[in-house]
Structures are given as structure tokens and as C-alpha cells.
Amino acid sequence: MSKTVFILNGPNLNLLGKRQPEIYGSDTLDDVTSNCAAVAAEFGLEIDLRQSNHEGELIDWIHEARENAVGIVMNPAAFTHTSVAILDALNTFEGPVFEVHISQVHKRESFRHHSYVSMRADGVMAGFGIEGYALAMRRMGALVGN
Ligand code: DQA
């Protein structure tokens, strides 16, 4: 059976490409999917990319990953900075976790400088645009791929 990496995206990322393009660029989540699928294929992995505006749904997907995924790449969006519940959920997952931010959060408002998710993440990408997801997938491939 092929190994799957969950790529989980938090609130407002459904609008990627339309939302504040001066910060987040004009690429969409579909572009993220195709870039990450290409990297995954190099390592014999599959991806399952999902987006939700709801904290509880993201938590349910992290729990699902315990059974159905070998790793998680996550852009928790604004929940990065607020959600102990997402941190707790990620702490129940045993595989690699990579945190991705499209923008360079440390150059932005101070409330974006703290991440609960970074307390669990095995690596963090910030400010590489959507390329950050593909770079995280490359590292994931090295760790859990063929
Ligand atoms: C983001 C950065 C967060 O601070 C913000 O709330 C987002 C997107 C990023 O990808 O740069 O929604 O995670």
C-alpha cells in the first residue's frame, strides 16, 4: 500500500490566489497540490491535501492521520498563533510534522511571531511562498519515502 502524507491547510487558505496577493501571491491551493504531488511521486509517496476554516475539522483530520498518514505538512494559518488544541492533536501523531507559512511571519505583526505548532513541528518553512510546501515535501520524502 502506498504511503500518504496529509497536507492540511487552515482558515482562509481556500482563498489562496485571491486573498491579499501582495502577501500570499497569486498561486492557488490547486497549484500547491500539483507541485506537492510531483515531489511526492519522486519518493513513492501520495498526498492528500485538505483545507478547512474550522479548527475542530482540522483536529479530526490530524486524528485520522494517526491511522492513514505517514507524515503531516500543515499550514495552520491563523490557528498557528492561537490553537493549543491543534498543538495537542499534533502531539498525538507519531510521524514527521512540518509547519509551512507562505509569508515570512517573523517580518509581520508581532502576534504572528509566536507559533504553538512550532513546539511540535520537526521543521518550519516561512517566506518561501507556495514553494515552501514542496520543500517540506522534499524533506518528508527523505524521511519517509523510498
Ligand atoms: C500564514 C500566516 C498566518 O499568520 C496567517 O494567519 C495565514 C497564513 C501563511 O501562510 O503565511 O492565514 O500561515
Side-chain angles (χ1 to χ4, degrees), residues 11-13 19 24 75-78 80-81 100-105 108 112:
N12 302 303
L13 288 168
R19 162 201 190 200
Y24 299 112
N75 184 346
T80 307
H81 318 298
V100 173
H101 300 288
I102 296 162
S103 65
Q104 212 298 51
V105 283
R108 300 181 63 194
R112 296 185 204 277

Side-chain angles (χ1 to χ4, degrees), residues 21-138:
E22 69 285 3
I23 296 175
Y24 299 112
S26 55
D27 294 319
T28 67
L29 270 192
D30 284 345
D31 297 314
V32 174
T33 302
S34 49
N35 291 353
C36 288
V39 176
E42 286 182 43
F43 294 95
L45 296 171
E46 292 194 354
I47 60 161
D48 185 343
L49 184 144
R50 305 178 188 185
Q51 186 278 330
S52 178
N53 294 323
H54 305 280
E55 189 174 13
E57 187 165 40
L58 291 161
I59 291 166
D60 289 343
W61 289 343
I62 293 165
H63 295 173
E64 186 187 329
R66 287 162 48 81
E67 306 299 325
N68 297 336
V70 292
I72 297 174
V73 172
M74 185 163 194
N75 184 346
F79 292 143
T80 307
H81 318 298
T82 62
S83 181
V84 176
I86 286 177
L87 170 63
D88 284 352
L90 288 169
N91 277 330
T92 75
F93 181 76
E94 290 184 356
V97 173
F98 294 125
E99 177 182 351
V100 173
H101 300 288
I102 296 162
S103 65
Q104 212 298 51
V105 283
H106 299 287
K107 267 177 91 174
R108 300 181 63 194
E109 303 95 323
S110 58
F111 63 81
R112 296 185 204 277
H113 297 177
H114 178 262
S115 165
Y116 286 103
V117 171
S118 290
M119 298 179 75
R120 166 63 182 87
D122 298 297
V124 182
M125 301 294 308
F128 290 82
I130 68 159
E131 186 63 17
Y133 290 88
L135 292 167
M137 275 305 300
R138 194 159 285 287

